[in-house]
Every structure is written in structure tokens, then in C-alpha cells.
Amino acid sequence: MDNGTTAAVWPGRPYPLGATWDGEGVNFALFSENATRVDLCLFDSARTRTEAVALTLPEHTDQVWHGYVPDLEPGQLYGYRVYGLYEPEIGHRFNPSKVLLDPYAKAIGRQIRWSDAMFGYRIGDAAADLTLDARDNAAVAPLGVVIDPSFPWGNDRRPRTPWHKSVIYELHVKGFTMLNSKIPERQRGTYAGLASRAAIDYFHDLGVTAVELMPIHHRADDRHLVERGLVNYWGYNTLAFFAPDVRYSTSRNGRQAVREFKRMVRTLHAAGIEVILDVVYNHSAEGNHLGPTLSLRGIDNAAYYRQSGGGRYYMDYTGCGNTLNMRHPHVLQLIMDSLRYWVLEMHVDGFRFDLASALARGLHEVDRLGSFLGIIHQDPVLSQIKLIAEPWDLGEGGYQVGNFPVQWTEWNGRYRDSVRRFWRGDGGAVADFATRLCGSADLYNHSGRRPYASINFVTAHDGFTLHDLVSYNEKHNEANGEGNCDGELHNLSWNCGAEGSTDDPSIVELRQRQMRNFLATLFISQGVPMLRAGDEFGFSQRGNNNAFCQDNEISWLDWDLAAWQLELLQFTRRAIQLQRSQPVLQRRSFFQGRPLRGVEIKDLHWYDPSGLEMSDGAWDSEFVRCLGVGLSGDDIIERDAQGHQIVGDTLLILLNAHHEAIPFTLPEHGKTISWECILSTAEPGSPTDRSPPGSNYPLLGRCLAAFRAIPPCDVDEGSS
């Protein structure tokens, strides 16, 4: 649209919200309960300093302002000016001097250019946010862009991998691809790079079934970070809930970013790999009452945010300055519309909800059957995809592990902590560790949920990498510029005898064995394993456990692997293959721990080093750090898709977190005539030893060994 051109605006429709192109023009619809007027601002290009045309939306239907502009086409940049009261004391922060981003923008046409004009109040005034700032921000405000949503999906189909067969790989789009020399240079750091042949081959070789992408909703980089030469790299600072981040597009073009994201999903699906998005609906990028006015704050602050202090301040359950108001029906609609859009239009397979407890809060308390969870539960689209909760927030009563409803899975923070304590050698850790190993029935069985409700992880993006977990006792976040005051203090880490880098061969060997212990434990546990990208080959962030602002080599995976890293990678592949090939490690029901169907063999046994059943006293002992678990493969009592009973190998897992070797008597089990070692963390290579029941197995200090029961028929077949 040329500068100075006038345009007609028709009444249009109040639904759908956002900018919708129908081939002949564009319908614009914006919710604002308390506004008195809304102007649609059309821009000629991202470089122009003000809008070419401002059109007052002519209709206001059920709190939605709307209008239709004929002959407008995809590629049109736009924003809004919203009029109303500027009275922060009662929650209103309307300021028509500020061009605002449409919360329903499907693509970003211009990113923020920081200046004082991006704030709705007069920075530096004594009254702070109570004084309206009348400077126009049109030259620097973020803008949406109208898109053509059509895309040749062809015969794209979701892999629909069952939960109990899923292996999740958590990654950052840029961090995973940026330094990978096997990915074409132009595609590094992008959605296209994640869909490259090199990336897909790697996923297949590793054995993962799903990639969980750290936030790709378009974010805002906080001004204070940008001024220090940093960014909000992790992306937990959402600005646009419908738009893929343009920074991960090869073209850096908003409309092309949408198409590139869709091509990525289509390609990953063709390879049998699911795409799960880490999404942030608990807060927005606008921060606290002293934050910028970018979108929701200027559109209807009182409706979109949980408020306190009469309306001037925000209730902050997220640690990010604000919390979205899940009690308001239009806020719920925004989130539900966004989720459905990513499923129906972008074809993603599931979501991991950041700080999900904040979404379930009613007036204050976390409500297990809150509006958001209830709507998700009955939604015919969203109830059929993968739903993962980060089941905590920063508010009172926010830790809700085990309390989300059926159909939800959860990041199991208790699993993470228990596994770390056990392998660190903490006393009194065995009983809880055993519970986590078997799917955390104490958390999930009482509510009718299954072992796969537990998303098991040892590390995630937030905290130490696996390498750093065994290399540092303390965090080292100096590069973040906050005096090492940021990041988690309670890491349950152990540096194995030296802080950080060392040439001591005994410490180096112990660290590598500890990494193998954590990886092996993750993949022999009941539940859904989630692997942090880079842990499979020992990537280090140099002790930084909060690298949220490090868009550089601290966070980007280094693919130039040393010999020990290649060995660790191969070990991880074997551990994942073990998990995926053994039905007894993919159970959909919890163990009973007692004889089944009148037979003497139980589905689960716990052994002490004598090869006998663990005693009650051993479970409660402070000094016990070694145990064995037998998993019966012929007493699974589950059926496959064709109705056949599932039968697999019987496994024996020996675990020794003590620093000294412990001879472990291999137990008797049915007709088993030998135990074949199929995985050992004592060495990176693949073991092939066979030992008869009753013999002593030399279980090294801080070591895990997994065995397969060999019945007589297997021996006969092997010798014929």
C-alpha cells in the first residue's frame, strides 16, 4: 500500500480473530473489552517510520473490534493503536501513541527496535509507570504480516508413536544445527537445518522418536540483555503465540518462516519423527509493571493479566513479571486458538507446557480441574495429542508433580532428583530410587494413570548438562553478567574430585562412567525417557547452569567429538536400542511385585548382593547403595494391537552406587541357565559375558550392569 493512499474498510466479521486473507481482502478482528476505539495501522515496509494508513475499525461485536479491507493481500504489514483509559492504579494502560502487535499475528513482519518509545510510561519520571508517555513508537514497534496459509502438505501423517514407545530428544533449533558441518551452511541455525538429511540420519541412528523443540513462538529479547550484547536465547519470553520465530528461518522473512516450519514438520513426519513444542502460555514478554508496551498490555491490560495492588501491579507466579489471566474467557480462547492452530495448521504432534501449574490456577490455588485443564480434556483435537506438563510454578503450592489429570504426562522432577542422589552416593536414597526406576507408581497409579505419565529426565535445558553434572559442584554463570547470582543452587551434582576441567585420569574415567550410569538408568527406567541434546556425547556448557542468554558456543552443540565422546555416543545408542527392543522396559501398567495368575514367578524382584530378595531393613538402611532388580518378560500381562499377549526377555539390572566393587550373586530365576550381560557402564564397549545363576558377578564401584535371562531353548538353538 503506497504512502498516502486511502483505503476502504467494511464492517467485516468478529471471528476468526487476527488477520484472515480470503483471496479478495483481509478481515481484521481484535478483542479488547475495555477499549473505546481501535485503529488498524497499515505499513508499506519494515523500514517506514510511520503507518501509511490508519483505519478505525468500524464494528464492535461482543468485545471484538473488527473490519474488512478489500483488495489487501498477503505480505501486508500491520499493527494496532488502541484507545482507552490510562489509569494504571485500576489496571488500564491504553496508550494510542504505541503501535501494538496483534496477539493473533501468524507471522512477524518487523522485530522490535528498542528505544524509550517502546514503553507506555515516561521512563525516569518520579511517578514512573503512572505517567503516560506520548512519544510515537511506530518506527520501532514489532509488526505482524498477513500470510497465505496454504501449503502442499501432500500425504503428511502424524507418526502417532504410542507414549510407551516414545523416546524424546529435547533440543534448541539453533543450538543443535549451528555448528554441524554436515548440515549445509545456509541451513545451520534454522528449521531447514533441523529437517536436513544429516539431522534426520542422526535422529535415526540415535534412536529417538520425537524432537521436543525449545520455544519457537516468536520471542522478544529483553532490552537489558540486548544492551549487554546478549539475547533471550532459550525463548521463554513469548511475544507472538501464533508466529514461528523468524530468527530460525533461512530467509529471516516472516511469511517464509511459516512455510519453512511446515516443511520441517512434513519432512520429520516422513522420517517417522514427531514434533513436540515447548510452549509458554503462563506469561508474556511484557514483564512487570515497568515493562514495555508491546501487545497485550496496550490492547487490554486488565483483561489479559492477573493483577494485584488494585490493578497497578501483576501477580507473578512465573518469576517473569506477569501471569496471564486464565480466569478470563478471551485469554483462554487465545491459548486454545493458538494450540489448535499449531496442531491443525502447522501439524505439530504435542506440547510441553512451561510452568503448567500457573495455567491451572483459579483465584490463587492450583486447581487440578481448572478451566484450562478442563477445556483441554474435552477438546476433540487437543485431547488426542501429546500433552506434557512442567508441573510447577514459583507460587505458593505450585509444585504439583503427580497431580495433573489423566491424559497428561509430566516432567518428573522427583525422578531427576532421586537418580542424581543415588549415583552421587547419598545415603538413604535406595527406596525412593527404586520407586522412580519402576515408573513412580506413588505419583501416578492412584489416579488411574500409567507409567508413561512420567517423563523421566536426568538433565534438561535448565540446569547443568550431563557432563557438567559430573564435573562441577558449583554453578559458573559469570558469562551471564549477573555476578554468578542467577541459576539454580540446588543441583545435586558431584564433580568426582575436582572442580571443572582436569587431566587426572582417574577423575576423567570416573566422570565418563558416571555419565554412562545416568544414561543407562534413564533408558532402563519405566516411563518415557527424555534426553537433553548433547548429553549423548558429553557436551559441556563450562559449568553454566542457566545459559538462557548465551547464543554462542556456550550453548551451541560442538560436533567435533573426541574419541571418548564418540564412545559415549555409541553407548547411548546401545542404551536407547535396549529400551526400544525390550517390551519389559515399555510397560503400560505398573508392576504388581507379587506372583501372578497362580504361578510362583513375580513380575518384579528386588535383590541384595547375596542374590536374595531385599529385606525391609535393607530398604530403610542409610548405608545400602547397591541393589538388583529383576523384570520378568513373560509376565507383562499386556496385549499388542492385534490382541496377542506381549512377551519379552527377562532382564536383571544390577546397580552399585558405592565407590568400591561389590561381588553380586546372580539370582535363580525360573529355568534360566545363564545370564548374558547386554549392557555395562564399566566400559564403553559392548559386553558379551554369560554367567550361570549362583555365580558371583564382579560389580565394579559406581557401575550398572544389565543382563538378559537365557533359557535352555536359546542355548540349544545357538549350538545347532
Side-chain angles (χ1 to χ4, degrees):
M1 180 169 291
D2 295 331
N3 191 29
T5 301
T6 59
V9 56
W10 301 347
R13 304 177 305 280
Y15 187 84
L17 293 167
T20 306
W21 179 64
D22 62 7
E24 297 180 354
V26 180
N27 190 80
F28 294 91
L30 180 76
F31 158 75
S32 182
E33 178 179 354
N34 296 295
T36 58
R37 169 182 158 189
V38 174
D39 285 353
L40 169 67
C41 303
L42 303 178
F43 288 74
D44 286 338
S45 77
R47 295 181 299 275
T48 54
R49 299 188 60 81
T50 190
E51 61 265 39
V53 176
L55 303 170
T56 299
L57 295 183
E59 293 291 333
H60 183 209
T61 305
D62 297 332
Q63 302 177 347
V64 175
W65 302 78
H66 54 94
Y68 181 88
V69 182
D71 302 322
L72 216 57
E73 297 181 347
Q76 177 64 57
L77 275 65
Y78 72 102
Y80 291 105
R81 297 185 188 271
V82 182
Y83 296 74
L85 295 174
Y86 189 86
E87 294 186 13
E89 299 96 328
I90 59 172
H92 296 308
R93 295 178 180 270
F94 294 104
N95 187 340
S97 299
K98 312 303 175 183
V99 173
L100 306 169
L101 182 69
D102 180 5
Y104 279 73
K106 304 301 193 303
I108 301 301
R110 184 175 73 191
Q111 299 185 56
I112 299 169
R113 301 169 188 169
W114 282 113
S115 78
D116 288 356
M118 289 305 303
F119 294 78
Y121 62 94
R122 198 77 188 172
I123 291 179
D125 283 4
D129 62 306
L130 299 181
T131 306
L132 182 142
D133 181 275
R135 286 173 292 186
D136 196 297
N137 75 336
V140 293
L143 301 175
V145 60
V146 178
I147 69 165
D148 175 357
S150 62
F151 182 76
W153 282 107
N155 62 350
D156 177 67
R157 287 178 174 80
R158 303 183 194 283
R160 296 191 182 278
T161 306
W163 267 124
H164 66 289
K165 292 183 178 292
S166 296
V167 178
I168 298 174
Y169 188 66
E170 187 201 27
L171 62 82
H172 188 285
V173 170
K174 186 173 185 180
F176 179 83
T177 60
M178 192 63 186
L179 298 180
N180 192 329
S181 61
K182 294 182 179 179
I183 294 175
E185 186 172 0
R186 182 173 177 270
Q187 295 180 358
R188 295 173 197 169
T190 70
Y191 305 119
L194 201 60
S196 66
R197 186 72 264 165
I200 289 175
D201 286 347
Y202 184 81
F203 298 144
H204 281 166
D205 290 345
L206 189 57
V208 300
T209 68
V211 290
E212 181 175 306
L213 310 186
M214 290 177 65
I216 55 82
H217 288 175
H218 192 83
R219 72 177 194 264
D221 288 327
D222 312 86
R223 186 183 189 183
H224 69 92
L225 289 176
V226 173
E227 290 176 347
R228 301 202 322 257
L230 301 170
V231 298
N232 198 305
Y233 171 72
W234 283 354
Y236 293 92
N237 207 40
T238 304
L239 178 59
F241 295 102
F242 293 77
D245 199 316
V246 70
R247 282 161 283 218
Y248 305 141
S249 167
T250 54
S251 66
R252 298 299 180 96
N253 175 282
R255 287 192 294 159
Q256 291 305 315
V258 175
R259 296 183 65 82
E260 188 172 322
F261 183 91
K262 290 179 177 180
R263 284 194 296 271
M264 177 197 74
V265 173
R266 184 182 63 188
T267 303
L268 288 168
H269 280 178
I273 298 168
E274 294 184 308
V275 179
I276 299 170
L277 301 187
D278 192 338
V279 289
V280 187
Y281 293 110
N282 53 76
H283 73 280
S284 84
E286 292 183 303
N288 64 16
H289 65 290
L290 298 178
T293 296
L294 307 175
S295 181
L296 305 180
R297 174 173 283 140
I299 292 170
D300 200 330
N301 185 67
Y304 275 111
Y305 292 114
R306 299 285 298 269
Q307 298 180 333
S308 65
R312 179 179 178 184
Y313 304 107
Y314 298 102
M315 299 179 74
D316 184 10
Y317 296 115
T318 67
C320 299
N322 64 65
T323 305
L324 290 189
N325 182 14
M326 300 298 296
R327 298 173 299 173
H328 196 290
H330 276 285
V331 179
L332 280 172
Q333 181 186 2
L334 169 69
I335 296 172
M336 296 300 292
D337 286 350
S338 171
L339 291 169
R340 290 193 197 98
Y341 175 79
W342 286 98
V343 173
L344 297 175
E345 293 293 329
M346 308 295 264
H347 287 209
V348 304
D349 302 283
F351 303 98
R352 178 264 187 189
F353 292 84
D354 178 66
L355 300 181
S357 293
L359 301 174
R361 287 187 181 271
L363 294 176
H364 176 68
E365 295 82 4
V366 177
D367 181 358
R368 186 170 175 270
L369 298 177
S371 298
F372 174 70
L373 300 184
I375 291 173
I376 289 277
H377 197 80
Q378 61 79 43
D379 188 275
V381 173
L382 301 179
S383 64
Q384 300 306 305
I385 52 117
K386 284 184 163 66
L387 301 170
I388 306 172
E390 182 185 36
W392 51 77
D393 64 20
L394 299 187
E396 180 183 356
Y399 194 78
Q400 293 291 317
V401 173
N403 289 333
F404 275 70
V406 170
Q407 294 185 337
W408 284 79
T409 64
E410 300 174 7
W411 272 25
N412 191 343
R414 288 186 62 179
Y415 176 94
R416 172 200 60 205
D417 294 348
S418 182
V419 172
R420 290 185 180 190
R421 287 192 183 99
F422 177 80
W423 284 115
R424 192 170 66 170
D426 290 6
V430 168
D432 192 64
F433 174 73
T435 303
R436 305 305 143 222
L437 207 65
C438 291
S440 297
D442 61 327
L443 299 177
Y444 305 113
N445 197 21
H446 64 88
S447 58
R449 299 165 78 186
R450 302 296 186 92
Y452 51 73
S454 177
I455 304 296
N456 298 331
F457 66 104
V458 176
T459 63
H461 68 272
D462 188 1
F464 281 140
T465 66
L466 183 60
H467 175 279
D468 294 354
L469 184 69
V470 301
S471 303
Y472 295 90
N473 286 347
E474 308 295 337
K475 60 186 174 69
H476 297 268
N477 299 351
E478 290 81 7
N480 297 352
E482 298 182 29
N484 201 33
C485 293
D486 63 305
E488 179 61 59
L489 294 173
H490 185 64
N491 294 293
L492 295 173
S493 60
W494 177 47
N495 64 19
C496 297
E499 187 73 357
S501 180
T502 180
D503 295 325
D504 186 318
S506 63
I507 294 177
V508 170
E509 193 280 330
L510 176 57
R511 287 176 177 176
Q512 293 174 14
R513 186 160 12 110
Q514 284 286 78
M515 283 189 276
R516 294 194 293 270
N517 286 334
F518 282 119
L519 290 166
T521 302
L522 178 64
F523 292 108
I524 58 95
S525 298
Q526 302 297 320
V528 181
M530 185 189 78
L531 178 68
R532 172 182 173 151
D535 279 355
E536 68 272 23
F537 55 76
F539 174 70
S540 173
Q541 289 182 169
R542 310 168 199 170
N544 192 322
N545 75 348
N546 188 37
F548 78 101
C549 57
Q550 300 297 331
D551 188 5
N552 50 48
E553 287 82 357
I554 291 177
S555 298
W556 302 342
L557 298 189
D558 182 357
W559 295 93
D560 186 13
L561 305 184
W564 72 267
Q565 291 179 294
L566 292 171
E567 290 178 341
L568 184 62
L569 175 58
Q570 186 58 31
F571 178 87
T572 307
R573 289 170 177 155
R574 288 202 309 276
I576 293 175
Q577 177 57 30
L578 175 65
Q579 191 272 343
R580 294 190 62 183
S581 64
Q582 295 292 342
V584 77
L585 298 178
Q586 303 172 4
R587 290 177 59 102
R588 287 170 285 158
S589 57
F590 288 102
F591 291 105
Q592 299 299 308
R594 62 177 185 268
L596 303 172
R597 298 197 305 274
V599 300
E600 291 303 316
I601 297 177
K602 299 189 294 186
D603 61 357
L604 176 70
H605 292 265
W606 293 103
Y607 301 106
D608 65 22
S610 70
L612 301 177
E613 292 275 355
M614 291 268 287
S615 67
D616 291 343
W619 286 117
D620 298 332
S621 173
E622 281 289 318
F623 65 81
V624 172
R625 290 171 174 80
C626 181
L627 74 164
V629 56
L631 312 175
S632 180
D634 50 7
D635 283 289
I636 298 176
I637 318 182
E638 295 172 4
R639 297 187 179 276
D640 62 21
Q642 288 74 42
H644 303 124
Q645 182 179 347
I646 296 173
V647 177
D649 290 327
T650 290
L651 301 183
L652 173 67
I653 315 294
L654 308 182
L655 308 106
N656 181 15
H658 188 51
H659 65 275
E660 293 180 338
I662 296 177
F664 206 111
T665 301
L666 299 179
E668 302 285 344
H669 180 86
K671 297 180 180 180
T672 297
I673 65 167
S674 66
W675 291 102
E676 178 185 30
C677 188
I678 54 177
L679 190 74
S680 172
T681 63
E683 55 186 28
S686 179
T688 58
D689 296 340
R690 286 190 179 188
S691 305
S695 62
N696 281 341
Y697 179 82
L699 187 61
L700 297 184
R702 296 196 171 94
C703 182
L704 178 152
F707 299 81
R708 180 174 73 95
I710 306 297
C713 60
D714 280 17
V715 175
D716 293 341
E717 292 173 0
S719 60
S720 61

